[in-house]
């Protein structure tokens, strides 16, 4: 188990390193002067030069990358001022009079616009994205498993055909397109009947009551984000159930006089859930990344909306931090999925 964890962690770190290299050099060729974006268009030349020196923009690109990597690594070399102003560190060791070896959390730098730490911006937006992803996954899992079981049990009927057709349509429809259609149809045209709106956050601001919880605003973005995983879960559940329903132990259960519902839900379904659970864990990470455009369409405050708005303002540290944060979640969730799969199915070995 330890060897398996170390190997998978090593692969994950290599993936993250590749993402760091790609993200840094990609955003270094995009237009816009970070110093001017930080200080505004009316900044004087001296102030611009000071900011460029502070951000290491006066150094070659390779040196800038090393500074960026030094900020991201859990162990880096910094001055005392940098450690006090920017870092969340556990301990330090003095290398020289002005240099420290710092054990710290990754430093994603500061926003060009508000000079706020990118980590704080992402942490403020993370609960909204997590709630949206969990709600979408719960909707997709419950509905998808139910439709998959129904499709398998009613094989070659109109129910089976309808479920398969709906799943194919769900896979084919991009999230941003489905979001626009659902927002217009249920949040505008039928808003008087559904009580839903085209945009909104989890909390509304009332001038008298303050922040008011409004779960209705979660319905449309959660459904939109859950459509694609729902389609996958329907097809996986249907395929696995059709295979299980033809096994000998299912015939034995019927021969013992058990009811059809008992055989399906207590004997067949648990043995058909292995690939479904694996897909659910994998899709959760996908939902966190796929929420970008869905959050922006519905005005839902989360990492996706923050990232799109930052990209529109050329606030590159926020965009870069969001991409790296999402990549880290992908790596962690995939590692957990591998472990979960081995626990669910003992036949899988930790190679």
């Amino acid at each position: 188990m330890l060897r398996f964890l170390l190997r998978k962690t090593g692969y994950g770190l290599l993936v993250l390193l590749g993402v760091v290299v790609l993200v840094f050099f990609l955003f270094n060729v995009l237009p816009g002067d970070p110093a001017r974006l930080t200080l505004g268009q009316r900044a004087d030349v001296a102030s611009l030069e000071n900011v460029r020196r502070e951000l290491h923009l006066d150094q070659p690109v390779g040196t800038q990358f090393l500074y960026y990597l030094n900020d991201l690594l859990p162990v880096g070399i910094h001055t005392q001022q940098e450690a006090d102003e920017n870092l969340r560190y556990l301990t330090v060791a003095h290398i020289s009079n002005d240099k420290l070896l710092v054990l710290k959390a990754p430093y994603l730098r500061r926003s060009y616009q508000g000079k706020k730490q990118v980590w704080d911006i992402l942490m403020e937006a993370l609960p909204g994205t997590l709630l949206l992803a969990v709600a979408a996954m719960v909707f997709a899992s419950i509905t998808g498993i139910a439709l998959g079981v129904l499709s398998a049990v009613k094989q070659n009927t109109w129910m089976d055909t309808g479920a398969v057709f709906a799943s194919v349509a769900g896979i084919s429809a991009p999230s941003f397109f489905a979001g626009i259609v659902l927002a217009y149809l249920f949040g505008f045209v039928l808003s008087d009947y559904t009580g839903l709106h085209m945009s909104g956050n989890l909390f509304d601001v009332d001038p008298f009551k303050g922040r008011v919880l409004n779960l209705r605003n979660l319905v449309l973005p959660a459904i939109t984000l859950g459509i694609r995983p729902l389609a996958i879960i329907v097809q996986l559940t249907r395929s696995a159930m059709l295979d299980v329903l033809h096994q000998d132990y299912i015939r034995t259960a019927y021969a013992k006089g058990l009811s059809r519902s008992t055989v399906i839900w207590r004997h067949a379904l648990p043995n058909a859930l292995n690939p479904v659970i694996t897909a659910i864990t994998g899709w959760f990470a996908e939902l966190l990344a796929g929420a970008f455009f869905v959050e922006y369409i519905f005005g839902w405050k989360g990492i996706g909306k923050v990232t799109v708005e930052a990209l529109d303002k050329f606030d590159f540290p926020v965009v870069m931090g969001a991409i790296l944060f999402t990549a880290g979640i992908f790596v962690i969730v995939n590692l957990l999925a591998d472990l979960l799969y081995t626990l669910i199915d003992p036949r899988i070995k930790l190679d």
Side-chain angles (χ1 to χ4, degrees):
M1 175 67 77
L2 180 60
R3 186 174 61 183
F4 173 80
L5 286 174
L6 291 175
R7 187 174 67 256
K8 288 293 183 180
T9 303
Y11 291 154
L13 292 176
L14 288 176
V15 171
L16 288 178
L17 179 60
V19 174
V20 169
V21 173
L22 182 63
V23 165
F24 178 83
F25 286 100
L26 174 64
F27 284 94
N28 264 275
V29 301
L30 291 177
D33 181 3
R36 194 167 291 280
L37 290 171
T38 301
L39 296 178
Q41 298 301 318
R42 297 185 178 181
D44 58 87
V45 176
S47 299
L48 290 172
E49 290 302 321
N50 288 334
V51 170
R52 291 191 182 102
R53 193 178 304 109
E54 179 184 346
L55 299 176
H56 311 295
L57 300 175
D58 56 340
Q59 302 289 332
V61 175
T63 305
Q64 292 182 43
F65 174 71
L66 293 178
Y67 276 113
Y68 187 63
L69 199 60
N70 182 62
D71 288 340
L72 294 178
L73 290 174
V75 177
I77 300 174
H78 299 272
T79 64
Q80 185 67 58
Q81 182 179 359
E82 290 173 344
D84 293 339
E85 292 181 355
N86 300 321
L87 305 181
R88 294 176 173 86
Y89 59 88
L90 298 176
T91 185
V92 299
H94 289 271
I95 299 177
S96 63
N97 291 335
D98 60 339
K99 295 295 182 182
L100 305 173
L101 185 65
V102 184
L103 178 64
K104 59 185 172 57
Y107 174 49
L108 299 176
R109 300 193 172 179
R110 294 181 179 270
S111 166
Y112 290 156
Q113 303 299 322
K115 297 183 180 180
K116 191 174 183 178
Q117 285 214 25
V118 172
W119 181 263
D120 294 335
I121 295 174
L122 296 179
M123 287 302 100
E124 288 178 3
L126 180 61
T129 297
L130 280 177
L131 177 62
L132 178 57
V134 169
M137 206 67 248
V138 169
F139 160 72
S141 301
I142 295 175
T143 309
I145 291 173
L147 288 177
V149 171
L150 178 65
S151 179
V153 173
K154 301 292 184 180
Q155 186 183 15
N156 299 324
T157 66
W158 66 270
M159 294 182 183
D160 182 24
T161 304
V164 172
F165 175 79
S167 67
V168 172
I171 295 173
S172 305
S175 295
F176 68 87
F177 174 75
I180 293 172
V181 172
L182 291 177
Y184 177 74
L185 185 61
F186 295 102
F188 180 72
V189 177
L190 301 176
S191 179
D192 293 338
Y193 304 99
T194 62
L196 304 176
H197 305 289
M198 293 183 68
S199 63
N201 289 310
L202 182 62
F203 291 95
D204 291 334
V205 179
D206 186 279
F208 301 102
K209 299 180 181 179
R211 297 180 71 197
V212 179
L213 181 66
N214 192 344
L215 290 175
R216 290 183 302 176
N217 293 335
L218 179 63
V219 174
L220 289 180
I223 292 176
T224 301
L225 197 60
I227 286 176
R228 297 195 71 196
L230 184 151
I232 298 293
I233 291 171
V234 168
Q235 295 195 8
L236 284 175
T237 305
R238 178 182 183 274
S239 177
M241 282 292 294
L242 287 176
D243 181 59
V244 169
L245 288 174
H246 291 90
Q247 299 294 323
D248 291 338
Y249 70 88
I250 296 297
R251 298 190 187 97
T252 303
Y254 278 121
K256 290 181 177 179
L258 297 178
S259 65
R260 190 179 187 186
S261 60
T262 301
V263 172
I264 291 172
W265 295 106
R266 294 188 60 182
H267 294 274
L269 182 59
N271 290 284
L273 284 181
N274 282 0
V276 178
I277 292 175
T278 304
I280 289 172
T281 56
W283 266 100
F284 184 73
E286 296 253 357
L287 292 185
L288 291 176
F292 277 42
F293 292 109
V294 174
E295 289 178 2
Y296 190 72
I297 289 170
F298 289 97
W300 181 267
K301 185 179 179 181
I303 292 178
K305 185 171 182 289
V306 167
T307 305
V308 175
E309 290 177 346
L311 188 59
D312 185 54
K313 299 174 182 176
F314 297 99
D315 199 348
F316 296 145
V318 176
V319 181
M320 295 165 70
I323 294 174
L324 294 178
F325 186 80
T326 305
I329 290 177
F330 263 104
V331 170
I332 293 172
V333 171
N334 285 331
L335 177 60
L336 293 177
D338 289 337
L339 291 174
L340 183 61
Y341 205 5
T342 59
L343 293 176
I344 293 173
D345 192 345
R347 295 171 297 178
I348 305 298
K349 295 182 179 180
L350 297 177
D351 296 326

